[in-house]
Amino acid sequence: MRLEAITWERLAGELARHADGLTAPDGSPRPAFGIDGAPAARTADLAERVADELRLRGRSVLVVPTEGFLRPASLRFEYGREDPDSYADSWFDTGALWREVFGPLEAGGSGRVLPDLWDPVTDRATRTPYREVPEGGVVIVHGPLLLGHWFPFALSVHVRLSEGALRRRTQEAERWTLPAFARYEEEAAPAERADVVVRADDPGHPAWSGAGES
């Protein structure tokens, strides 16, 4: 895959320009975009940059982090607090994401999206109110392990870190998750599934695959 050097600012602008012309796979007027990457890839930063660019284009945007859809601690830690397979398979409540985010965005859906569901610090429901996504509005979902669940993204971006960069940039206390990301690479092949790949080994000098024309 050939990658071109780019700044984060220009990347956000190019992604917003491309995304602005896309529709949901089912024709819904409320498309969802996905930005996938390990926590060390800082997907939140790119999601917020793209959101700001889309707002400048007149789009209503809701950013949804998957860390707001963690399962309760009793389920996450059923096999211990540092089990990579549990992290990959059962930490994130994909059923709730389908129900509370993607379902309402479907053609004919209500547009009432829940931005988050569970607070991992208090281990309680967040009780965040639903947000109304108007027709023409966009939801950007970001976080790890997104591309193995067939979520209906109109545009998917994978922020890739090499094995070495991922290890260097992952906090020592979180390095037990690294086998989960190695498994994700092998089983889900996110760089092949994604519409756009961003290499972020050097956080100051990203490169991307381009997005084609919308």
Side-chain angles (χ1 to χ4, degrees):
M1 179 183 299
R2 183 173 181 177
L3 301 176
E4 173 190 351
I6 195 170
T7 65
W8 289 111
E9 292 80 5
R10 181 169 161 247
L11 174 63
E14 289 293 327
L15 288 173
R17 180 189 67 80
H18 181 67
D20 196 29
L22 297 177
T23 57
D26 66 352
S28 167
R30 302 178 181 93
F33 305 138
I35 300 182
D36 169 71
R42 301 174 65 98
T43 58
D45 292 350
L46 182 56
E48 292 294 346
R49 286 179 185 270
V50 175
D52 287 344
E53 292 288 339
L54 284 168
R55 291 181 184 116
L56 289 175
R57 292 171 170 267
R59 304 293 290 269
S60 173
V61 184
L62 176 63
V63 177
V64 175
T66 58
E67 66 183 11
F69 286 84
L70 289 173
R71 295 182 186 275
S74 60
L75 298 177
R76 297 200 311 277
F77 303 146
E78 183 178 3
Y79 299 101
R81 290 180 174 269
E82 297 186 357
D83 184 81
D85 287 330
S86 292
Y87 180 81
D89 295 332
S90 58
W91 270 48
F92 297 93
D93 195 340
T94 55
L97 279 167
W98 276 104
R99 182 179 68 252
E100 304 290 359
V101 178
F102 297 107
L105 298 178
E106 293 176 352
S110 68
R112 294 179 70 249
V113 170
L114 190 64
D116 54 58
L117 178 64
W118 200 259
D119 185 336
V121 176
T122 64
D123 201 34
R124 296 176 182 271
T126 58
R127 302 190 184 279
T128 300
Y130 284 85
R131 292 276 300 276
E132 297 281 349
V133 179
E135 292 192 4
V138 171
V139 173
I140 300 177
V141 181
H142 72 85
L145 312 172
L146 276 177
L147 299 183
H149 304 286
W150 303 103
F151 291 138
F153 293 125
L155 176 69
S156 58
V157 179
H158 174 58
V159 184
R160 183 181 184 278
L161 296 175
S162 67
E163 182 179 353
L166 178 60
R167 176 170 291 279
R168 288 193 305 273
R169 293 173 57 187
T170 298
Q171 295 181 7
E172 185 172 354
E174 304 300 325
R175 287 182 181 168
W176 63 269
T177 64
L178 295 177
F181 290 107
R183 177 182 152 196
Y184 179 57
E185 287 287 334
E186 180 179 350
E187 295 181 357
E192 297 176 18
R193 289 178 184 258
D195 300 308
V196 177
V197 176
V198 178
R199 185 182 65 206
D201 286 5
D202 181 342
H205 299 88
W208 78 317
S209 62
E213 292 301 320
S214 60

